[in-house]
């Protein structure tokens, strides 16, 4: 599967792959009749999120959208599809954890890494609303508070690494500017 992600998508497919994948994964997760299919999807969620992120990047590149304001890069319908995907994944992370702990942990880490990528590609206000919706999925009134806290910490570590990377870049840039002045 890792090799499949590394290959290039056909140019014509990058305009629809992320939209189709988002709606398809959401539909599979909302169907509760076939737990085996949803469990496999959760187990290999990293593959779907990596494919989704790659398709989004190609969509921006192929459509010359990187120079556009972030709020205009993706249509509102895609934002709604991502929101729906997040809301369909959350019960699998929080409620079904005792049944499928490995899958729940895997989808939690994959989702956090994907949201981190959304901070790069998309309107950051929207990406932070995804983070907020994600964190609101864990309630302190939840009887599984210890699990919720552990899962939130894992996601926080992934998401804050994005912020730390930019802080480090700004630090290096500041040192470079100071060296140029002297």
């Amino acid at each position: 599967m890792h090799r499949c992600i590394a290959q290039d998508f056909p140019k014509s497919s990058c305009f629809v792959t992320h939209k189709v994948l988002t709606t398809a994964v959401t539909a599979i997760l909302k169907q509760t009749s076939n737990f085996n299919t949803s469990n496999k999807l959760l187990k290999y969620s990293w593959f779907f999120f990596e494919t989704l992120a790659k398709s989004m990047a190609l969509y921006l590149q192929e459509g010359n959208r990187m120079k556009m304001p972030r709020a205009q890069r993706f249509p509102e319908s895609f934002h709604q599809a991502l929101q729906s995907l997040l809301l369909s994944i959350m019960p699998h992370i929080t409620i079904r954890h005792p049944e499928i702990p490995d899958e729940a942990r895997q989808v939690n880490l994959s989702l956090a890494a994907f949201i981190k990528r959304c901070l790069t590609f998309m309107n950051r206000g929207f990406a932070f609303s995804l983070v907020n919706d994600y964190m609101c999925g864990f309630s302190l009134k939840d009887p599984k508070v210890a699990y919720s806290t552990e899962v939130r910490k894992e996601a926080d570590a992934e998401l804050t690494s994005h912020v730390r990377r930019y802080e480090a870049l700004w630090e290096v840039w500041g040192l470079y500017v100071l060296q140029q002045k002297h």
Side-chain angles (χ1 to χ4, degrees), residues 146-162:
Y147 168 72
S148 296
T149 304
E150 176 187 329
V151 170
R152 282 182 72 168
K153 284 181 183 178
E154 288 177 346
D156 283 344
E158 180 68 31
L159 291 167
T160 56
S161 69
H162 186 77

Side-chain angles (χ1 to χ4, degrees), residues 50-79:
E50 285 292 321
T51 304
L52 186 60
K54 184 173 182 178
S55 176
M56 290 168 62
L58 286 172
Y59 173 77
L60 294 176
Q61 183 181 14
E62 300 284 321
N64 293 323
R65 295 176 173 268
M66 287 302 290
K67 294 180 181 172
M68 292 176 72
R70 288 176 183 271
Q72 297 173 2
R73 289 181 180 176
F74 292 96
E76 186 63 31
S77 61
F78 183 62
H79 287 190

Side-chain angles (χ1 to χ4, degrees), residues 3-18:
R3 209 173 325 156
C4 181
I5 296 277
Q7 293 177 355
D8 289 335
F9 286 143
K11 296 213 183 274
S12 62
S13 71
C14 70
F15 287 100
V16 296
T17 303
H18 59 279

